[in-house]
């Protein structure tokens, strides 16, 4: 038998290595993200145009860090990284959503004012509690909502350091009313509004982040065992208690009667580190399912089985298949949920749920989610979850350190674009190595602030991120067009609010930025005719009308696919959109709208035909639809 030569033996050993290398290179090419050509990018970008305008300016004595408790002084920048928020509303009743409620962390103010460029229609107002309020408390969000159903905008402001406050609009000013009596020490990061139990009245979901009674922002608090960080990077359930409050209106200029139904929340969902809440009816019973996006733990998706006055929520989780990583399966993920939005592409009857996460290159390379439907929503009633993550396939997987996320049709072609807020700490020194070491550490130490490395004013963690603007290409994938539209400014954004601020029939965007001036993105696109804007109302107190939160609309225009939308303005992190819905009607002379809504007497459904334009539509308790 002939013995192979040394070179031949070496070649034999190298062959498998060469084959493996070829396979790896081939796999790399197969998984590389496709890129648009310059011509394709220019053609797509031509559909959009924005005028970028300042929404505010630095206040006197503006700061860039918060005073914090001694237990967390060494991670002061981390603790100081949230608080910017914005809500969009029609405060002065002029028929346009052109008034902003902005939370600016630089002076911890909550200011209500006309959006710049819409006229000086009223003097700016600061919403501030008139008692039991000091520097150990800071606002985290402002949610416009007609609490007393008298037709004007009231506001719920939520804070770190205290429970939320209701600011009732009396027509001659505001009356501050505590949400809970006596006032409690909560650390609330987000708040959503919807009719959870189906009695026809609005309820509040309040997400509390740091543990209850932990005085995070009190330098004089002294050592405090309640001041805990998360007890795991991926399975943490030691946060403050999330609250569900059921509302009953008590008349004009009166705060609703609130009943605490928080015990109806599944235990793990109640104690999660929640950063965003999404409401959407997926089963067709006109009760909103609840998506809780959780920091440091799996998100919670709850099917709503409630009846009036009796809340029943059941957590459901997706099943893992052979090709899906566990962390991309709904309800099993271990990523950092920061925001959630819903979009209905191509006439789909079920939405795609897009969830914002941390996807920092060379940092925590997780993934955003795009949970796309694989079956009917009624499958949820039997415990099945008809959703699978397709974020990588759709081009939505990676962006940066994500926060709020919103879907809106900015060019009027019937397909939503997706905007995301990104960025975290904007110091000068890169600190990702410290964070990675922390993330790989022992969970038994993580909850103790003393075990954390220093994250002071010098720390930079994804501070140079830019906000993506994802537009859908002809292939069905989404492409980030921010740099092509000059929207790639490196600002640390927290909240995004969508609405038509100048009445031209096109959605605009307000960006609430952390420690920086906030922005108005005025939509100046002329690629399509103006859209039809529906302001959906229902009967309120006396002869007034109030926004029909939770109403669902299916629009059929020309030969376009059906367009679907549900009215939940407060979905997401800390951006609250206007109480209006946008539909691409093209050149149609008239469009049929099928509208479903819930009243104290039950579910209603009716159809109306409207010409293009802006319409205020009254959804009657008797099931009839009229224009106002």
């Amino acid at each position: 038998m002939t013995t192979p030569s040394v070179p031949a033996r070496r070649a034999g050993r190298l062959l498998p290595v060469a084959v493996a290398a070829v396979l790896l290179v081939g796999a790399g090419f197969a998984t590389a993200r496709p890129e648009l050509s310059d011509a394709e990018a220019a053609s797509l970008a031509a559909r959009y145009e924005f005028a970028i305008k300042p929404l505010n300016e630095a206040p006197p004595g503006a700061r860039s860090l918060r005073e914090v408790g001694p237990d967390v002084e060494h991670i002061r920048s981390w603790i100081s990284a949230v608080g910017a928020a914005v809500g969009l509303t029609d405060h002065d009743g002029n028929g346009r959503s052109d008034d902003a409620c902005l939370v600016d962390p630089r002076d911890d103010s909550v200011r209500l004012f006309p959006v710049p460029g819409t006229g000086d229609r009223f003097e700016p107002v600061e919403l501030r509690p008139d008692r039991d309020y000091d520097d150990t408390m800071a606002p985290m969000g402002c949610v416009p909502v007609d609490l007393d159903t008298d037709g004007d905008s009231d506001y719920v402001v939520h804070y770190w350091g205290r429970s939320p406050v209701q600011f009732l609009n009396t027509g001659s000013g505001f009356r501050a009313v505590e949400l809970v009596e006596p006032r409690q020490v909560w650390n609330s990061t987000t708040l959503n509004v919807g009719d959870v139990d189906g009695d026809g009245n609005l309820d509040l979901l309040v997400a509390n982040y740091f543990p209850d009674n932990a005085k995070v922002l009190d330098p004089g608090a002294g050592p405090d065992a309640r001041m805990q960080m998360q007890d795991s990077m991926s399975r943490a359930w030691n946060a403050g208690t999330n609250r569900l409050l059921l509302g009953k209106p008590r008349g004009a200029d009166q705060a609703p009667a609130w009943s605490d139904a928080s015990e109806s929340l599944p235990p793990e969902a109640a104690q999660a580190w929640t950063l965003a809440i999404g409401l959407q009816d997926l089963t067709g019973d006109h009760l909103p399912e609840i998506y809780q996006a959780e920091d440091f733990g799996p998100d919670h998706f709850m099917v709503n089985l409630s009846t009036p006055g009796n809340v029943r929520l059941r957590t459901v989780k997706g099943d893992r298949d052979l090709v899906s990583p566990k962390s991309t399966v709904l309800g099993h993920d271990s990523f950092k949920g920061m925001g959630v939005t819903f979009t209905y592409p191509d006439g789909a009857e079920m939405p795609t749920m897009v969830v914002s996460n941390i996807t920092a290159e060379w940092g925590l390379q997780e993934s955003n989610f795009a949970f796309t439907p694989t079956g009917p929503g009624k499958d949820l009633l039997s415990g099945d979850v008809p959703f699978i993550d397709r974020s990588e396939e759709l081009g939505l997987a990676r962006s940066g350190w994500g926060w709020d996320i919103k879907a809106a049709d900015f060019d009027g072609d019937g397909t939503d674009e997706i905007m995301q807020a990104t960025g975290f700490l904007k110091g000068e020194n890169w600190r990702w190595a410290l964070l990675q070491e922390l993330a790989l550490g022992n969970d038994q130490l993580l909850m103790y602030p003393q075990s954390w490395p220093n994250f002071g004013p010098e720390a930079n963690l994804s501070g140079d991120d830019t906000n993506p603007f994802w537009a859908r290409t002809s292939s069905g994938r989404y492409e980030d067009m921010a740099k092509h539209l000059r929207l790639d400014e490196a600002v640390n954004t927290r909240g995004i609010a969508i609405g038509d601020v100048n009445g031209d029939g096109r959605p605009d965007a307000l960006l609430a930025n952390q420690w920086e001036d906030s922005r108005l993105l005025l939509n100046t696109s002329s690629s399509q005719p103006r859209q039809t804007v529906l302001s959906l109302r229902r009967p309120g107190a006396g002869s007034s009308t109030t926004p029909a939160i939770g109403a669902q609309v299916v629009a059929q225009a020309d030969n376009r696919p059906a367009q679907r939308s549900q009215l939940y303005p407060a979905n997401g992190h800390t951006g609250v959109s206007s109480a209006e819905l946008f539909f691409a009607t093209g050149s149609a002379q008239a469009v049929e709208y099928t509208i479903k809504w819930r009243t104290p007497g039950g579910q209603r459904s009716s159809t109306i035909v409207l010409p293009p334009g802006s319409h205020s539509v009254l959804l009657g308790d008797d099931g009839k639809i009229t224009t106002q």
Side-chain angles (χ1 to χ4, degrees), residues 105-128:
R106 294 175 296 185
D107 61 354
D108 278 339
S109 62
V110 184
R111 290 190 179 91
L112 177 63
F113 56 90
V115 173
T118 65
D120 298 327
R121 292 168 282 105
F122 61 90
E123 288 296 318
V125 179
E126 183 169 357
L127 302 179
R128 182 181 175 89

Side-chain angles (χ1 to χ4, degrees), residues 458-475:
E458 78 292 342
N460 186 304
L461 291 169
S462 297
D464 299 321
D465 285 355
T466 60
N467 297 334
F469 181 91
W470 279 300
R472 199 173 180 210
T473 68
S474 58
S475 70

Side-chain angles (χ1 to χ4, degrees), residues 185-226:
V185 178
W186 296 357
N187 297 290
S188 308
T189 53
T190 192
L191 186 151
N192 209 332
V193 181
D195 180 6
V196 175
D197 67 338
D199 68 348
N201 300 309
L202 294 180
D203 310 314
L204 299 183
L205 281 156
V206 186
N208 292 321
Y209 195 72
F210 287 106
D212 298 343
N213 298 311
K215 296 185 177 181
V216 183
L217 305 180
D218 186 357
D224 185 354
R226 294 170 298 191

Side-chain angles (χ1 to χ4, degrees), residues 26-51:
F29 280 116
T31 58
R33 306 179 84 180
E35 294 185 2
L36 295 181
S37 67
D38 291 343
E40 290 173 320
S43 176
L44 185 58
R47 302 182 61 86
Y48 313 98
E49 188 173 355
F50 293 91

Side-chain angles (χ1 to χ4, degrees), residues 341-619:
T341 192
F342 302 85
T343 180
Y344 294 78
D346 301 326
E349 294 186 11
M350 286 273 284
T352 294
M353 302 187 293
V354 187
V355 181
S356 186
N357 286 300
I358 298 178
T359 68
E361 291 187 358
W362 310 107
L364 293 180
Q365 180 62 70
E366 298 181 341
S367 174
N368 298 314
F369 296 138
F371 290 120
T372 59
T374 59
K378 289 187 177 180
D379 286 355
L380 293 166
L381 297 174
S382 59
D384 295 329
V385 178
F387 289 96
I388 187 170
D389 174 45
R390 295 177 57 227
S391 57
E392 186 62 45
E393 178 184 346
L394 292 173
L396 298 170
R398 287 168 268 175
S399 53
W401 192 303
W403 294 92
D404 211 359
I405 192 165
K406 292 289 190 292
D409 181 5
F410 287 97
D411 64 344
D413 68 346
T415 299
D416 286 340
E417 288 70 48
I418 298 172
M419 297 186 69
Q420 185 185 29
T422 64
F424 190 48
L425 302 182
K426 207 169 185 177
E428 295 184 358
N429 296 332
W430 196 71
R431 287 291 183 263
W432 264 111
L434 293 178
L435 180 53
Q436 288 166 330
E437 184 177 359
L438 177 70
L440 294 172
N442 193 320
D443 279 352
Q444 292 181 330
L445 295 175
L446 188 63
M447 65 183 288
Y448 301 105
Q450 300 91 329
S451 69
W452 280 54
N454 291 338
F455 291 113
E458 78 292 342
N460 186 304
L461 291 169
S462 297
D464 299 321
D465 285 355
T466 60
N467 297 334
F469 181 91
W470 279 300
R472 199 173 180 210
T473 68
S474 58
S475 70
R477 284 179 58 86
Y478 290 82
E479 186 76 16
D480 181 8
M481 302 302 295
K483 68 178 181 180
H484 300 281
L485 301 174
R486 296 182 176 85
L487 300 179
D488 56 341
E489 182 182 13
V491 292
N492 287 345
T493 304
R494 296 294 176 264
I496 303 173
I498 305 295
D500 180 10
V501 303
N502 58 357
D504 68 352
R506 296 180 176 88
D508 309 299
L510 276 61
L511 307 182
N513 294 331
Q514 188 75 16
W515 308 121
E516 299 174 281
D517 292 350
S518 295
R519 298 283 187 264
L520 163 64
L521 305 185
L522 195 65
N523 187 353
T524 57
S525 169
S526 57
S527 62
Q528 296 280 349
R530 61 176 288 169
Q531 299 180 56
T532 292
V533 186
L534 298 187
S535 174
L536 303 176
R537 314 281 296 181
R538 62 182 182 85
S543 59
S544 65
T545 64
T546 189
I549 305 300
Q552 306 175 22
V553 181
V554 180
Q556 190 66 61
D558 294 338
N559 295 319
R560 297 168 179 253
Q563 299 171 61
R564 288 176 168 81
S565 192
Q566 299 186 20
L567 186 61
Y568 288 104
N571 276 350
H573 176 53
T574 58
V576 184
S577 296
S578 64
E580 55 194 4
L581 299 178
F582 295 83
F583 298 95
T585 53
S587 59
Q589 297 301 307
V591 177
E592 181 178 271
Y593 298 90
T594 299
I595 307 177
K596 298 180 180 180
W597 69 101
R598 183 178 283 275
T599 73
Q603 300 180 58
R604 301 287 185 262
S605 178
S606 191
T607 299
I608 189 172
V609 176
L610 296 170
S614 296
H615 303 279
S616 180
V617 180
L618 179 62
L619 310 178

